[in-house]
Amino acid sequence: MKRILLFFILAAAVMYDTAWLPSTAVERRNALDTCLLKPAFESLLGVTCLFLYWQILNIFINLVYIYFLEQFFRLALSRLQNCGLYSEEDSIACRRCVVVGNGGVLRNKTLGEKIDSYDVIIRMNNGPVIGYEEDVGRRTTFRLSYPESIFSDPIHYDPNTTVVLIVFKPRDLKWLWEILGGQKVSAKGFWKRPALKMIYKSSQIRILDPSITRKTAYEWLHFPTRFPKKEKPKHPTTGLIAITLAFHICHEVHLAGFKYDFADRNSSLHYYGNETMSQMMQNEYHNITAEQKFLKKLIDKNFVVNLT
Ligand SMILES: *[C@@H]1O[C@H](CO)[C@@H](O)[C@H](O)[C@H]1NC(C)=O
Ligand SMILES: *[C@@H]1O[C@H](CO)[C@@H](O)[C@H](O)[C@H]1NC(C)=O
Ligand SMILES: *[C@@H]1O[C@H](CO)[C@@H](O)[C@H](O)[C@H]1NC(C)=O
Ligand SMILES: *[C@@H]1O[C@H](CO)[C@@H](O)[C@H](O)[C@H]1NC(C)=O
Ligand SMILES: *[C@@H]1O[C@H](CO)[C@@H](O)[C@H](O)[C@H]1NC(C)=O
């Protein structure tokens, strides 16, 4: 009985899917199949369980859900032009990277020039460069963002940046597909208003392999796979995901702007804006204690060099 039910649900999902797909997308997604790295799909299962389990009522819905996640993944990828992070001619023997966190600790440290001297500069979310060059530098090689945190004001456009999109939910993939196709994007289903216009060219966008997010949460921060009902499911901050990515694509990893001042709740959270430490301490979606403990270990063992 259960199997029959499952069959119907999947059949309905398949029918819905093909009816919904515009024909150009069907053609293009075949061409892009070479982009779909297998590990990413295997790890989608893990990402689903960690971040979205509250949406999953039972195993049947779960299966359909993963099916759609995969379809959305294909669709979003069909709008992209590249999969790799580096161009082929760009083969530096020893890549030195700096991951620039958005921490208030960067204020008035005039580290800009030092940061700009690295081969690869990784920034995150909407941490601005314009107006803060002296403290944080000008160059951005990679910028990790999600739909709610990506720049939407063209003033921040940088032709030399590759945006690496972190996807936490299927909606994020659908968003990317819609926005790159020039469709109207609805803000429904996001925890905060997402960007409704894409300022970057599609050739500048990549989707982060979800196995990186998964590795950060489970292997590095040791998050439980299930959280108690009354607790918000935690996910790693973009900063920690960026460090994990750096370990995969760099030979040497340096950090800047990754320190929080827990003692002073009024201290500024970021090097820009007015948010204070107390706002971060109230954030229920991250485990800052676990992250700071982990960072301390990385620094103490000399796996990374900390500039701040
Ligand atoms: C940074 O420097 C500016 C100008 O010199 C000063 O107004 C500001 O208070 C300083 N901020 C911090 C966090 O020290
Ligand atoms: C982008 O890179 C080119 C070549 O390195 C450089 O000349 C240009 O100034 C950079 N543009 C920006 C906005 O940083
Ligand atoms: C923090 O700010 C609040 C209100 O702005 C003030 O009442 C409090 O004394 C400040 N605390 C510290 C430690 O500066
Ligand atoms: C920060 O505070 C200043 C003055 O209190 C205010 O004018 C400005 O709009 C605030 N900025 C943000 C991003 O909230
Ligand atoms: C955060 O992580 C630490 C382990 O580093 C754990 O002891 C603590 O219970 C976690 N807090 C929450 C709210 O999940």
Side-chain angles (χ1 to χ4, degrees):
M1 183 59 207
K2 278 182 180 175
R3 284 205 178 162
I4 293 169
L5 199 60
L6 176 64
F7 172 79
F8 275 112
I9 292 172
L10 283 178
V14 169
M15 280 188 303
Y16 172 74
D17 175 61
T18 41
W20 174 74
L21 272 178
S23 58
T24 51
V26 178
E27 283 160 25
R28 293 183 70 175
R29 89 179 200 196
N30 294 337
L32 261 286
D33 273 354
T34 46
C35 251
L36 308 177
L37 304 173
K38 197 155 175 285
F41 279 93
E42 281 167 356
S43 58
L44 275 178
L45 288 161
V47 176
T48 311
C49 296
L50 175 62
F51 300 117
L52 303 151
Y53 82 97
W54 70 90
Q55 293 182 5
I56 298 166
L57 296 174
N58 56 47
I59 186 110
F60 299 122
I61 293 176
N62 198 352
L63 281 172
V64 174
Y65 183 83
I66 288 165
Y67 175 82
F68 275 108
L69 197 58
E70 209 172 295
Q71 294 308 315
F72 282 139
F73 221 99
R74 282 169 182 278
L75 280 175
L77 282 173
S78 76
R79 295 256 198 245
L80 301 186
Q81 287 163 18
N82 300 303
C83 314
L85 282 180
Y86 299 117
S87 61
E88 268 156 35
E89 60 268 28
D90 179 18
S91 55
I92 301 171
C94 175
R95 215 172 252 126
R96 292 174 71 245
C97 301
V98 62
V99 185
V100 185
N102 290 341
V105 62
L106 280 169
R107 272 183 209 236
N108 293 1
K109 291 261 162 57
T110 49
L111 276 173
E113 214 171 303
K114 168 94 183 148
I115 289 172
D116 275 342
S117 72
Y118 287 81
D119 301 317
V120 172
I121 298 149
I122 305 176
R123 301 186 196 270
M124 57 222 52
N125 299 331
N126 47 0
V129 168
I130 295 165
Y132 300 90
E133 291 90 343
E134 221 170 283
D135 286 333
V136 303
R138 295 164 199 279
R139 295 174 49 220
T140 305
T141 320
F142 300 120
R143 185 177 283 277
L144 274 73
S145 300
Y146 43 90
E148 294 95 335
S149 79
I150 193 171
F151 280 134
S152 55
D153 186 342
I155 196 175
H156 296 292
Y157 179 71
D158 179 347
N160 299 333
T161 294
T162 298
V163 173
V164 181
L165 200 75
I166 306 172
V167 291
F168 290 110
K169 48 194 184 298
R171 189 74 192 80
D172 297 345
L173 293 161
K174 187 160 181 275
W175 168 88
L176 184 63
W177 183 65
E178 287 169 348
I179 206 165
L180 289 182
Q183 284 162 259
K184 196 169 161 10
V185 181
S186 100
K188 247 205 232 146
F190 293 98
W191 59 273
K192 206 177 95 185
R193 193 182 149 92
L196 301 178
K197 281 250 158 56
M198 178 60 83
I199 64 167
Y200 298 96
K201 298 192 185 83
S202 64
S203 58
Q204 287 177 276
I205 300 170
R206 308 286 187 279
I207 300 174
L208 183 73
D209 185 335
S211 67
I212 299 282
T213 311
R214 191 177 174 218
K215 191 175 201 170
T216 314
Y218 293 136
E219 288 178 33
W220 284 26
L221 297 176
H222 300 292
F223 282 173
T225 47
R226 281 181 188 279
F227 291 88
K229 260 219 174 78
K230 58 179 180 357
E231 237 181 71
K232 299 276 192 324
K234 306 276 182 292
H235 54 249
T237 57
T238 312
L240 257 275
I241 298 172
I243 295 173
T244 314
L245 174 67
F247 273 102
H248 282 77
I249 63 171
C250 306
H251 298 94
E252 219 179 273
V253 179
H254 293 208
L255 306 180
F258 271 93
K259 202 180 283 154
Y260 292 118
D261 185 355
F262 286 104
D264 181 4
R265 296 176 71 92
N266 286 353
S267 63
S268 36
L269 177 58
H270 297 135
Y271 64 82
Y272 53 92
N274 300 345
E275 274 186 281
T276 59
M277 223 14 245
S278 61
Q279 274 150 303
M280 188 57 162
M281 284 152 98
Q282 284 158 14
N283 189 318
E284 296 174 291
Y285 290 97
H286 298 309
N287 186 336
I288 297 306
T289 324
E291 295 200 0
Q292 289 291 306
K293 235 163 68 188
F294 177 74
L295 277 175
K296 188 171 182 307
K297 223 159 57 184
L298 281 185
I299 294 163
D300 289 349
K301 293 195 171 165
N302 292 323
F303 287 140
V304 295
V305 174
N306 192 17
L307 302 180
T308 44

